[in-house]
Amino acid sequence: MTALIQIRQLHKSFGAVQVLNGIDLEVQVGEVLVVVGPSGSGKSTLIRCINLLEEYQQGDVLVDGVRVQKGPQLIKVRTDVGMVFQSFNLFAHLSALDNVALGPLRVHGLARSVALERAADVLAQVGMAAHSHKFPSELSGGQQQRVAIARALAMQPKVLLFDEPTSALDPEMVGEVLDVMQQLTKTGVTMVIVTHEMGFARRVAHRVVFMEAGRIVEAGAPEEFFGSPREPRTQAFLKAVLQH
């Protein structure tokens, strides 16, 4: 297997607060990597460093062999890396179809007819074909997040990053988004997912990473990670979250 993402000795601080403390991590082509851990452990900061939404102070991040840093190559990296955020960040004045078509139009320079066709295809993929004409204000939170996933897919990225994509949703809407994400894991796209949804992590991950205090404490296949975690801190975390 080939490492699509390589992270080496990554350090990141906000002022005096050390958020990432020497992270070493590789993500293979086609791998679904799920990152879990308590709030404030550095999970979201880690994946935001992959496309330089957060600048890091030390270390290296490479995506498909290209170093993630300021400069002309950053455009290529961000084209290759799709991201789905906690908040949906859709343009309120555009329909779902136009929200999804915007990236292929502006970044890839596709003809409008081709961009709209691609947008319609990915909206159908996430179960939103019937709502393509609606504006964000006419959609539920779960539907908006599915449009946001379609927007990322429309760019045909090499890797998809998910930053707690269900944390802003009402509980009854979480399932519809997780179902779409689970379907995506079957397409072979490389995915890095930060989530608090442990059952989902257990179902879809090829590998689970547990972070605390800016470090990777433990990583392993889901059956090992959830069934027989080695580290006492991992055991305590799982005991606490799986009781709820």
Side-chain angles (χ1 to χ4, degrees), residues 168-182:
L169 298 178
D170 292 333
E172 65 268 23
M173 296 174 185
V174 169
E176 67 188 71
V177 173
L178 294 181
D179 285 347
V180 165
M181 291 170 64
Q182 186 163 352

Side-chain angles (χ1 to χ4, degrees), residues 47-188:
I47 66 164
R48 289 172 69 88
C49 286
I50 294 172
N51 57 4
L52 214 65
L53 290 178
E54 294 288 357
E55 291 186 45
Y56 50 91
Q57 282 91 14
Q58 284 178 259
D60 282 304
V61 180
L62 290 91
V63 175
D64 203 16
V66 178
R67 189 170 191 267
V68 180
Q69 59 186 0
K70 284 186 172 179
Q73 71 268 45
L74 185 58
I75 295 169
K76 174 173 170 29
V77 168
R78 286 183 170 163
T79 304
D80 288 341
V81 179
M83 187 150 188
V84 180
F85 300 88
Q86 295 177 35
S87 52
F88 323 120
N89 298 341
L90 300 176
F91 289 109
H93 65 290
L94 296 180
S95 68
L97 187 69
D98 285 328
N99 262 289
V100 175
L102 192 61
L105 270 170
R106 294 273 178 87
V107 180
H108 288 170
L110 297 186
R112 181 166 174 78
S113 60
V114 178
L116 289 172
E117 185 178 346
R118 184 187 292 182
D121 286 345
V122 292
L123 282 167
Q125 190 178 345
V126 301
M128 289 296 293
H131 303 280
S132 62
H133 62 288
K134 292 183 180 176
F135 291 87
S137 61
E138 300 174 286
L139 301 172
S140 71
Q143 290 171 331
Q144 289 185 65
Q145 191 61 296
R146 285 191 278 158
V147 173
I149 293 171
R151 178 180 58 189
L153 286 171
M155 297 297 288
Q156 299 181 337
K158 292 178 180 175
V159 59
L160 278 171
L161 309 178
F162 293 85
D163 185 9
E164 297 188 23
T166 60
S167 64
L169 298 178
D170 292 333
E172 65 268 23
M173 296 174 185
V174 169
E176 67 188 71
V177 173
L178 294 181
D179 285 347
V180 165
M181 291 170 64
Q182 186 163 352
Q183 289 303 312
L184 287 179
T185 65
K186 299 171 184 172
T187 67

